[in-house]
Amino acid sequence: MNSSSPTNLLISGIYYVLVGLMGFFSLFGVYVLIRYGKSIIFAFILAALYAIFFLQILAESYATLHTLLS
């Protein structure tokens, strides 16, 4: 990724802030599920599945960002 352009740096910064916010809200959702939801085992399985999907979506979006800014 070409990080010399200020526009590319701004877009990358916004991307990382959005990913950080999504991660925070994901952790909050897992906390609510564990605290007020079903059993611990169900919450753990759901959190693990969500983590796998989240990482897959994150990898695809980062590849798309890399392609757009290159």
Side-chain angles (χ1 to χ4, degrees), residues 39-54:
S39 69
I40 297 291
I41 301 295
F42 176 74
F44 178 72
I45 291 170
L46 194 61
L49 287 174
Y50 182 80
I52 290 169
F53 287 128
F54 182 76

Side-chain angles (χ1 to χ4, degrees), residues 25-38:
F25 286 124
S26 300
L27 290 175
F28 182 71
V30 170
Y31 166 75
V32 167
L33 185 65
I34 290 172
R35 180 79 171 123
Y36 302 108
K38 306 287 182 188

